Amino acid sequence: MTEEDRAEREGELRHIASSFEGTCFSFLEECSWLCRLEREWKSVVGPVLGERSALVGYEEGAEGGIFHVSVTSPGALQDMNFKKGAILEALKRRISRPVMDIRFTLGRKRRSF
């Protein structure tokens, strides 16, 4: 993610936050940890895979969360699948929520949250 993309994303979040100010604190907390994890993505997967992938979604399940990651090339997709266990462990260390799975898809880096 470029600095320009990051600034645009933060602006979007500030706009959303201002419209919910004082009324929906839990929504802002959700957004906060996801955005922090998005910023730290390269330190989770490493610099090379960090450039070739993006955290694009998260869904809460009964047994834990499921992260969705978009990967830009077949080779990077193979690497991510090979390192899936280590990535899951890194995610579990960084967030205070149960993590059940991480799913990779080949495609553009486009977030859904």
Side-chain angles (χ1 to χ4, degrees):
M1 175 180 281
T2 66
E3 287 299 320
E4 185 177 295
D5 291 338
R6 181 173 288 121
E8 181 180 329
R9 177 75 169 153
E10 288 176 359
E12 291 169 0
L13 293 173
R14 281 192 193 100
H15 175 72
I16 292 169
S18 68
S19 65
F20 286 100
E21 192 169 359
T23 61
C24 193
F25 187 70
S26 64
F27 171 78
L28 296 176
E29 285 179 332
E30 288 291 315
C31 194
S32 173
W33 76 266
L34 279 170
C35 290
R36 188 184 72 230
L37 187 57
E38 183 180 37
R39 283 192 309 270
E40 297 173 359
W41 184 244
K42 286 182 185 178
S43 66
V44 172
V45 298
V48 174
L49 288 176
E51 286 295 322
R52 296 182 178 141
S53 65
L55 182 62
V56 295
Y58 175 81
E59 62 184 277
E60 194 74 45
E63 298 176 22
I66 300 170
F67 287 94
H68 296 272
V69 175
S70 179
V71 183
T72 60
S73 71
L77 179 62
Q78 183 177 4
D79 286 347
M80 294 292 259
N81 278 310
F82 181 73
K83 296 176 180 176
K84 183 176 183 174
I87 295 169
L88 275 169
E89 288 305 313
L91 287 170
K92 289 175 184 178
R93 284 191 306 270
R94 289 182 183 273
I95 63 172
S96 59
R97 303 168 178 281
V99 178
M100 185 175 73
D101 197 12
I102 185 167
R103 298 183 182 155
F104 306 109
T105 56
L106 187 60
R108 293 178 55 205
K109 298 194 291 188
R110 176 183 269 166
R111 72 180 74 75
S112 64
F113 55 86

